[in-house]
């Protein structure tokens, strides 16, 4: 019995030391350490308490996201916007209950509904070949538990019929016939890890008809893993298209063009979140990525502000022509519109020379990036709705609109936003962050650090383990299918048999006083900006 009490006493003494003595000693040590350090003023004046302040500051974004911000607050996407990207991918459904959470007192665009809508059988859509995908079904959901399982389902593809395909570069040796109104915007291997790129490739490939833009980091085997159609982007750093000395290598264009899945090339002149070249931290640049980009491993990469191969429109058109001739496939440019005069200058040179890009990817200033600077992201370039109408007007005024297709990007993450972009002048729509969220992104805002907790925007092998390709690929497929279905659903509600027929006459703009304004047709050149 005495041995028992001795053991109890020893245990109590150990617990007393661990729970009382150690914390007190630690606090005393922190007090004197904080008083003596010279870096933080708050800690010198308020030892320990200052650490509580820094802890709250560090964890503030997470608390606000999950506890304090309402569903329609939060940047760059609100909780509501985030769920509109997550749920279609996971459950292949975009149904809501009770009513919209949109603030109908705020100014904004609305799509005109028709008195007599179209029936499903009246739509010009190709749903002949079903897509095999999987989605989650909730079995039981309680306060602390959720049981769900995955089911195989056949899904409608919601493709444009061959006769309605958007044809990019009809005069090229190999035009690009696009039958999906939605594709993935440029995201590089390096900015995203191999698991994320592979999941995107496989998911986009299963959805049929959609395209994947490689971003400026070059084409990798991970991009090709799922067999999607590829737009191969060439940035100012020429990654994947350069010699070891950093010079442009036309032979590599020919090599990429020989791959059947590569359907077009795109020169990245500018991106919405940054008017300069790309940036990748050295710790993200693995040996594999360095080999693809022809750079030194584990060295921070900064692309030049612009291409050194040209500095005006005629020279840029010549460079485009060189790539088009070498590859035989369409060549486009990715730009950010800054003004009407800038769009007019591009259009005028296209008219004057008879040359130019086969397509223009126009990115709004609200577009995202793996790494950029706050000043560039916040204040340079015009938002996508304004930029689209300006570019479309300018190309029409100069009589060159029929030669070039417009692809819109910039926080276009739901079918209604995509429909508005199409009505404002886009031929196609592309998305980046919607796809990132489909493969697991939780908006941790750590894309530039290589510490993405979801394993998406990181090349760290341990962190990438979180992203299971064979699960996330279905979410990508489902996101694409629900986006395309939503576009046809909106078109039907507007009295149209295809979303390709959306134009500005199908939009109204409600101002801050609740007055509805028509969004004028192209020939009036008076679009509400």
């Amino acid at each position: 019995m005495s041995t028992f009490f001795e053991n109890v006493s020893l245990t109590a003494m150990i617990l007393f030391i661990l729970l009382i003595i150690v914390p007190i000693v630690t606090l005393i040590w922190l007090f004197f350490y904080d008083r003596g350090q010279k870096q933080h003023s708050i800690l010198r004046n308020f030892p320990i308490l200052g650490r509580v302040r820094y802890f709250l500051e560090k964890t503030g974004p997470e608390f606000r996201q999950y506890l304090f911000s309402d569903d329609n607050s939060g940047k760059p996407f609100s909780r509501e916007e985030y769920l509109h990207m997550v749920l279609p991918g996971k459950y292949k459904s975009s149904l809501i209950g009770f009513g919209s959470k949109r603030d109908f007192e705020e100014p904004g665009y609305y799509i005109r509904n028709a008195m007599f809508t179209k029936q499903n059988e009246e739509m010009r859509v190709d749903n002949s070949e079903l897509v095999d995908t999987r989605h989650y079904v909730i079995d039981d959901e309680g306060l602390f538990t959720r049981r769900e399982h995955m089911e195989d389902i056949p899904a409608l593809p919601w493709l444009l019929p061959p006769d309605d395909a958007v044809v990019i570069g009809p005069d090229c040796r190999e035009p690009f016939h696009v039958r999906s109104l939605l594709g993935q915007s440029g995201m590089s291997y390096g900015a995203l890890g191999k698991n994320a790129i592979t999941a995107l490739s496989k998911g986009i490939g299963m959805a049929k008809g959609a395209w994947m833009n490689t971003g400026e980091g070059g084409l990798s085997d991970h991009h090709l893993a799922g067999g999607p159609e590829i737009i191969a982007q060439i940035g100012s750093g020429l990654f994947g298209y350069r010699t070891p000395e950093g010079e442009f290598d036309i032979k590599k264009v020919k090599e990429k063009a020989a791959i059947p899945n590569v359907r077009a090339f795109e020169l990245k002149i500018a991106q919405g979140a940054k008017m300069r070249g790309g940036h990748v931290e050295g710790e993200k640049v693995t040996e594999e990525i360095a080999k693809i980009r022809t750079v030194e491993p584990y060295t921070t990469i900064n692309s030049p502000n612009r291409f050194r191969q040209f500095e005006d429109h005629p020279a840029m058109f010549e460079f485009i022509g060189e790539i088009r001739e070498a590859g035989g496939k369409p060549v486009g440019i990715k730009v950010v519109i800054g003004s009407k005069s800038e769009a007019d200058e591009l259009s005028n040179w296209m008219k004057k020379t008879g040359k130019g890009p086969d397509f223009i990817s126009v990115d709004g200033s609200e577009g995202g990036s793996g790494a950029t600077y706050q000043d560039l992201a916040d204040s340079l370039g015009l938002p996508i709705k304004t930029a689209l109408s300006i570019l479309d007007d300018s190309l029409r005024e100069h009589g060159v609109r029929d030669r070039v297709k417009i692809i819109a990007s910039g926080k276009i993450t739901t079918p209604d936003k995509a429909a508005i972009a199409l009505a404002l002048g886009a031929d196609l729509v592309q998305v980046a962050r919607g796809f990132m969220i489909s493969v697991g992104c939780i908006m941790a805002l750590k894309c530039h650090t290589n510490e993405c907790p979801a394993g998406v925007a990181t090349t760290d092998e341990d962190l990438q383990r979180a992203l299971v390709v064979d699960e996330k690929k279905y979410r990508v497929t489902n996101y694409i299918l629900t986006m395309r279905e939503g576009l046809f659903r909106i078109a039907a509600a507007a009295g149209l048999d295809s979303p390709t027929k959306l134009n500005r006459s199908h939009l109204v703009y409600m101002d801050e006083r609740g007055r509805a304004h028509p969004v004028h047709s192209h020939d009036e050149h008076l679009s509400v900006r």
Side-chain angles (χ1 to χ4, degrees):
M1 181 67 71
S2 61
T3 302
F4 172 77
F5 284 111
E6 288 174 0
N7 289 336
V8 171
S9 299
L10 179 61
T11 302
M13 183 179 296
I14 292 172
L15 288 173
F16 178 78
I17 292 172
L18 290 176
L19 297 177
I20 305 298
I21 301 300
V22 170
I24 289 174
V25 171
T26 302
L27 288 174
I28 292 172
W29 180 84
L30 281 175
F31 179 90
F32 287 105
Y33 176 82
D34 289 343
R35 293 282 286 185
Q37 59 81 37
K38 300 177 181 179
Q39 183 178 2
H40 300 288
S41 302
I42 295 296
L43 292 180
R44 280 176 69 86
N45 282 338
F46 303 98
I48 302 174
L49 186 59
R51 289 183 177 270
V52 175
R53 182 259 186 194
Y54 288 123
F55 170 79
L56 293 175
E57 180 183 55
K58 183 71 174 176
T59 58
E62 287 78 10
F63 279 112
R64 285 190 292 274
Q65 180 180 0
Y66 294 108
L67 297 178
F68 303 119
S69 294
D70 65 52
D71 286 346
N72 289 296
S73 299
K75 300 292 182 182
F77 292 100
S78 68
R79 185 71 183 165
E80 189 73 8
E81 290 171 320
Y82 175 76
L83 290 175
H84 287 328
M85 291 177 269
V86 172
L87 300 182
K90 188 173 183 181
Y91 301 106
K92 202 188 169 298
S93 174
S94 53
L95 289 172
I96 64 170
F98 198 68
S100 171
K101 294 182 181 180
R102 177 175 180 172
D103 186 349
F104 292 98
E105 301 299 318
E106 289 292 317
Y109 286 92
Y110 291 84
I111 301 166
R112 289 184 177 180
N113 59 294
M115 183 69 71
F116 303 101
T117 59
K118 292 290 184 182
Q119 299 281 16
N120 285 344
E121 60 269 20
E122 296 178 288
M123 302 303 291
R124 292 182 59 83
V125 61
D126 184 353
N127 279 327
S128 58
E129 187 177 351
L130 297 180
V131 174
D132 293 323
T133 185
R134 307 185 77 190
H135 72 155
Y136 280 93
V137 176
I138 299 174
D139 301 312
D140 179 65
E141 188 170 20
L143 184 60
F144 299 107
T145 61
R146 173 189 287 179
R147 290 189 299 106
E148 53 190 5
H149 68 277
M150 289 191 82
E151 285 186 0
D152 296 327
I153 56 168
L156 299 174
W158 298 98
L159 291 169
L160 298 175
D163 290 346
D164 290 352
V166 178
V167 183
I168 300 176
D171 297 328
C172 294
R173 294 199 299 273
E174 297 182 50
F176 184 13
H177 293 258
V178 187
R179 295 178 58 202
S180 170
L181 287 169
L182 178 83
Q184 181 218 292
S185 189
M187 292 191 286
S188 299
Y189 175 40
L192 271 57
K194 62 185 179 184
N195 285 12
I197 295 292
T198 303
L200 288 168
S201 174
K202 291 187 174 183
I204 292 170
M206 289 192 300
K208 305 182 189 304
W211 71 91
M212 183 182 196
N213 190 306
T214 65
E216 64 174 301
L219 179 65
S220 71
D221 290 340
H222 310 298
H223 289 102
L224 297 168
E229 297 183 317
I230 296 284
I231 295 179
Q233 190 181 90
I234 305 174
S236 57
L238 305 175
F239 304 126
Y241 303 88
R242 54 190 262 162
T243 65
E245 296 73 35
E247 298 299 320
F248 180 61
D249 189 350
I250 194 68
K251 293 179 182 177
K252 294 191 175 180
V253 170
K254 295 178 180 178
E255 291 172 5
K256 304 297 190 298
I259 300 171
N261 295 81
V262 175
R263 304 305 307 276
F265 293 92
E266 177 183 85
L267 301 181
K268 192 180 101 169
I269 309 301
Q271 182 178 340
K274 53 192 176 190
M275 303 301 114
R276 57 184 290 282
H279 171 89
V280 181
E281 288 293 323
E283 61 184 314
K284 279 191 166 187
V285 186
T286 64
E287 291 186 6
E288 181 188 12
I289 291 167
K291 184 178 179 181
I292 292 168
R293 297 190 178 211
T294 323
V295 297
E296 289 296 319
Y298 303 104
T299 302
T300 296
I301 301 171
N302 284 295
S303 303
N305 276 2
R306 64 168 176 78
F307 283 84
R308 292 193 172 94
Q309 285 68 31
F310 52 84
E311 57 182 10
D312 56 26
H313 288 91
M316 180 174 71
F317 291 174
E318 291 299 325
F319 193 63
I320 289 172
E322 181 182 355
I323 295 173
R324 185 189 291 116
E325 178 59 31
K329 296 181 176 181
V331 181
I333 58 175
K334 183 174 185 177
V335 301
V336 176
I337 300 299
S339 66
K340 179 66 160 59
S341 61
E342 182 183 67
D344 285 341
E345 187 176 6
L346 171 63
S347 302
N348 186 49
W349 278 107
M350 289 180 64
K351 179 180 180 180
K352 186 184 298 185
T353 63
K355 301 176 180 179
D358 297 300
F359 65 95
I360 299 174
S361 294
V362 56
D363 199 12
S365 56
E366 63 270 64
S369 173
T372 189
Y373 296 95
Q374 173 271 323
D375 42 54
L376 295 178
D378 283 355
S379 300
L380 269 76
L382 294 173
I384 187 61
K385 294 185 182 71
T386 304
L388 270 177
S389 53
I390 285 177
L391 179 61
D392 187 46
D393 278 347
S394 180
L395 292 169
R396 290 179 185 278
E397 289 169 12
H398 290 82
V400 294
R401 181 65 176 89
D402 60 332
R403 288 169 36 195
V404 60
K405 301 302 180 186
I406 298 176
I407 307 177
S409 61
K411 292 185 79 172
I412 304 172
T413 54
T414 54
D416 55 318
K417 293 177 182 177
I420 291 171
L422 293 174
L424 286 171
D427 297 290
L428 300 165
V429 170
Q430 58 190 8
V431 180
R433 284 172 290 185
F435 281 104
M436 286 181 67
I437 288 170
S438 294
V439 293
C441 167
I442 61 169
M443 301 192 301
L445 307 183
K446 292 181 177 290
C447 306
H448 60 296
T449 66
N450 206 34
E451 297 174 2
C452 171
V456 179
T458 179
T459 59
D460 182 283
E461 291 291 341
D462 291 333
L463 290 173
Q464 285 190 84
R465 288 183 65 254
L467 200 161
V468 179
V469 172
D470 287 336
E471 191 265 348
K472 292 297 188 290
K473 67 183 183 182
Y474 292 109
R475 299 198 190 199
V476 174
T477 299
N478 295 340
Y479 177 68
I480 295 171
L481 298 182
T482 52
M483 283 284 285
R484 295 198 304 223
E485 180 181 7
L487 278 171
F488 277 94
R489 184 166 54 239
I490 289 168
L496 303 172
D497 61 10
S498 173
T500 60
K501 295 181 179 179
L502 285 163
N503 58 52
R504 295 186 206 179
S505 70
H506 301 109
L507 294 179
V508 292
Y509 183 85
M510 189 191 78
D511 66 20
E512 64 280 358
R513 296 184 182 181
R515 297 173 301 188
H517 302 274
V519 180
H520 295 282
S521 61
H522 307 291
D523 55 357
E524 293 178 87
H525 310 303
L526 293 170
S527 301
V528 175
R529 305 274 196 241

